[in-house]
Amino acid sequence: MQIINKILEIETDDNIGIYNVTPQIKDLLAETGIKNGQVLVSSRHTTTALTINEYEIRLLEDIKAYLRKLAPENEQYLHNDLHLRVVPPDEPINAHSHLMAMTMGNSEVIPIVEGKLGLGTWQSVLFLELDGPRKRTLSVQLMGI
Amino acid sequence: MQIINKILEIETDDNIGIYNVTPQIKDLLAETGIKNGQVLVSSRHTTTALTINEYEIRLLEDIKAYLRKLAPENEQYLHNDLHLRVVPPDEPINAHSHLMAMTMGNSEVIPIVEGKLGLGTWQSVLFLELDGPRKRTLSVQLMGI
Amino acid sequence: MQIINKILEIETDDNIGIYNVTPQIKDLLAETGIKNGQVLVSSRHTTTALTINEYEIRLLEDIKAYLRKLAPENEQYLHNDLHLRVVPPDEPINAHSHLMAMTMGNSEVIPIVEGKLGLGTWQSVLFLELDGPRKRTLSVQLMGI
């Protein structure tokens, strides 16, 4: 049984952006030689998220619009009253980003089957930047035999 | 350590439908004889999802109404402008289905404890069809000792 | 490979409340001595949930307000027509709680890296009570080497 922990670095280029990280995860899997097991991909931030869906450029815009509708940036949020909190000088105004992140979810677990990611034809692993642009890190744990 | 990968086939009978797959997962678990470990149940489609909750017939209707409210079918979505995309002739109009799927989530991991699924009294594993009816497949990975 | 199953008991004190269970999970991990693997934390109820995000007291209120906006308590839900269902005498009126639970998700999987939870600086494991106050249980499975 191998259990291998890797960190992926992603420099995002948008305030809300969606990135296909499937190729990087496939590369990490190929390096391990694991044939049967799981990959656990985790966000290491509270304003990024992971989901599995179709990487289609127009759908990505629909996802962003949907998240903005669910958790609008300009609503009143207690977390955004920085003068009532103890915060560093560069603290962002980002309650909506936290809510978006929790709605989409913090991690994905993908089966490894016959040495490959057990994803369907249209499925990709998508990393969501919800308060960028920033340098972000993603945890990828590969476990199996 | 056993790691066993199975595929469940489900023929859905509704456009939006919710199916209790707990019995099939219990049967697969019983076949393996695993006493301690995990089951990873994954959607292999971008317009189906998995959740764990109560399989109560009236609640299922509430879940469907809730998803239709969050991501209405008849809103404007860029993904639905098929004339602006390269698509097969039978491509469905289903941006809302993708958004519903991401909201509910792509997979569930359930502990195996003393040879049984570690679910609470009212919990069932529910498979959500969000753009049916169709023939669908579900991945079930059983890992443990 | 160790696979250890524990139950955490939590007595919640609010109808909708958010509890940081990271310290209890760290304690369980320290007891096992596992250096590399995963922790699977699961809700065992259909009106509680788990998420990973920042444990900041004002953000917690934003999360509750967000969930109340998505699934208002006083909307019409079929699950709440108790006279049309076979139910015990103390059955709660809680369709909204089920919907909130599914939106936030039933479990979280966290990598164990070098003997510690692989969480980012601002990440905590949060248990959400969505129909309390009640005595609740949480499943924690620690797997690794």
Side-chain angles (χ1 to χ4, degrees), chain B residues 15-84:
Chain B
N15 182 246
I16 298 189
I18 303 176
Y19 302 86
N20 186 359
V21 293
T22 320
Q24 291 96 311
I25 296 168
K26 283 184 179 171
D27 287 351
L28 291 175
L29 175 56
E31 285 172 24
T32 66
I34 293 173
K35 296 298 174 207
N36 198 2
Q38 293 181 357
V39 183
L40 164 61
V41 190
S42 312
S43 156
R44 293 168 49 83
H45 308 278
T46 55
T47 55
T48 63
L50 281 153
T51 194
I52 291 179
N53 212 274
E54 186 179 350
Y55 188 73
E56 192 277 306
I57 199 82
R58 297 177 67 85
L59 180 62
L60 303 186
E61 295 304 315
D62 292 328
I63 298 170
K64 295 179 199 175
Y66 175 67
L67 292 173
R68 288 188 175 109
K69 187 187 73 170
L70 291 187
E73 182 171 355
N74 292 321
E75 243 167 65
Q76 292 268 351
Y77 298 107
L78 299 183
H79 184 63
N80 289 347
D81 292 334
L82 301 188
H83 62 289
L84 298 175

Side-chain angles (χ1 to χ4, degrees), chain C residues 60-106:
Chain C
L60 303 186
E61 295 304 314
D62 292 328
I63 298 170
K64 295 179 199 174
Y66 175 67
L67 292 173
R68 288 189 175 109
K69 188 188 74 170
L70 292 186
E73 182 172 356
N74 292 321
E75 243 167 64
Q76 292 269 352
Y77 299 107
L78 299 183
H79 185 63
N80 289 348
D81 293 334
L82 301 188
H83 63 290
L84 298 175
R85 294 169 48 205
V86 178
V87 292
D90 58 346
E91 178 73 7
I93 302 285
N94 64 2
H96 64 292
S97 312
H98 290 277
L99 299 174
M100 290 172 178
M102 282 178 268
T103 306
M104 296 303 274
N106 192 65

